[in-house]
Amino acid sequence: MPPRKVSLKAHKTLCAGITAFYFGKPEGFEFEAGQFANFTLLALQDSDLKGNTRVLSLASAPYERNLMVAMRVRATAFKRTLNSLPLGAELLLQGPYGSMTLPRNNTRPAVFLAGGIGITPFRSLIWNAAESLSPRRIFLFYSVRVPEEAAFLEELQEMERYNGRYKFVCTVTQPDMTRTPWLGETGRISIEMLSKWILDLSVPIYYIAGPPAMVANMRQMLIGSGIAEEDIRAEEFSGYD
């Protein structure tokens, strides 16, 4: 699909260190939940070794009017320029790409393992499943240092009320650092944690998204527990810049 121009409609802070950007969806642009796209700035305010294009997961679901992406705030030229753009400014969109999509056969449960900003493709998948009334069982395990750094936290919690086939488990790895008491799970995602909610770990398809080290550790954990490699999908979010 050729590059298309998209205009910046809005931006807002989602949580500590993470900002969402909303773009008008070009006419005829179609994508599958869980995919990503290339976003290109038409000009950078200063030099950036990685250029003026970034690969960003589409956190919005296909049925939503606008395209939404979310990223960590970093002092890179790309993010400084994007943060300073006026509403209505245009970027180039190329895509969609990626295979972090759910199979059409919805009889197998899906288990999403997210770390940090890796939550973005899963928001798209979860919202799309709810809108389409999918009968698929979905489990989301979301690992963050403190709850203040959990993007979409309230939305993800609220979604349980609308989709009885969806279960959300947020785990905090540094509970002593949080500003408010945390009553949920703590520690890193583990097989023991998954087993609390999933009766047979060999049945689901697993999806992992997050920092490279987290993705590698989760993959090793699953394979070490007997999960078949062909039942694991993974997407690394390297650099965050």
Side-chain angles (χ1 to χ4, degrees):
M1 187 176 294
R4 301 163 180 249
K5 286 187 176 181
V6 292
S7 59
L8 180 64
K9 297 295 185 182
H11 56 80
K12 71 174 183 179
T13 300
L14 296 178
C15 62
I18 296 180
T19 300
F21 296 86
Y22 300 82
F23 301 91
K25 185 188 296 183
E27 183 177 352
F29 179 79
E30 297 181 357
F31 69 97
E32 293 186 59
Q35 290 190 301
F36 60 86
N38 292 336
F39 286 79
T40 301
L41 294 167
L42 298 180
L44 283 177
Q45 292 177 347
D46 50 23
S47 61
D48 190 312
L49 293 177
K50 292 194 175 182
N52 60 345
T53 298
R54 291 296 184 277
V55 176
L56 300 172
S57 288
L58 298 168
S60 49
Y63 70 87
E64 293 183 279
R65 172 181 291 184
N66 293 320
L67 300 176
M68 186 257 285
V69 300
M71 63 182 70
R72 287 199 177 278
V73 177
R74 291 285 190 267
T76 62
F78 181 93
K79 292 188 175 181
R80 283 195 301 271
T81 300
L82 182 58
N83 281 323
S84 66
L85 288 179
L87 299 185
E90 292 185 326
L91 287 79
L92 288 181
L93 170 72
Q94 179 80 53
Y97 308 106
S99 58
M100 287 280 285
T101 56
L102 291 172
R104 298 192 182 279
N105 183 341
N106 54 30
T107 57
R108 295 183 68 184
V111 177
F112 301 153
L113 309 179
I117 197 61
I119 192 63
T120 48
F122 298 137
R123 183 200 178 276
S124 177
L125 287 161
I126 291 164
W127 261 243
N128 193 61
E131 173 68 14
S132 63
L133 302 178
S134 170
R136 188 191 305 277
R137 193 79 169 94
I138 293 176
F139 299 85
L140 170 62
F141 295 84
Y142 185 16
S143 176
V144 293
R145 293 188 304 172
V146 292
E148 292 85 0
E149 295 181 357
F152 311 114
L153 180 59
E154 293 184 3
E155 293 182 39
L156 293 167
Q157 292 170 332
E158 187 73 8
M159 182 56 75
E160 285 188 315
R161 294 179 53 192
Y162 298 98
N163 185 357
R165 307 290 293 169
Y166 158 72
K167 177 62 185 177
F168 176 49
V169 179
C170 184
T171 184
V172 170
T173 61
Q174 298 181 16
D176 295 339
M177 301 296 291
T178 181
R179 296 191 296 271
T180 56
W182 176 252
L183 302 178
E185 293 277 0
T186 58
R188 300 183 184 280
I189 298 171
S190 64
I191 288 297
E192 292 73 24
M193 187 181 296
L194 301 184
S195 298
K196 289 182 182 180
W197 306 100
I198 305 167
L199 294 179
D200 187 346
L201 295 179
S202 67
V203 173
I205 304 172
Y206 293 84
Y207 294 77
I208 315 168
M214 178 266 186
V215 170
N217 289 337
M218 289 295 98
R219 182 191 290 274
Q220 184 177 12
M221 177 191 76
L222 293 174
I223 294 174
S225 298
I227 307 302
E229 289 193 53
E230 57 266 28
D231 289 335
I232 303 172
R233 317 281 190 272
E235 190 166 274
E236 296 180 357
F237 286 71
S238 58
Y240 294 86
D241 52 4

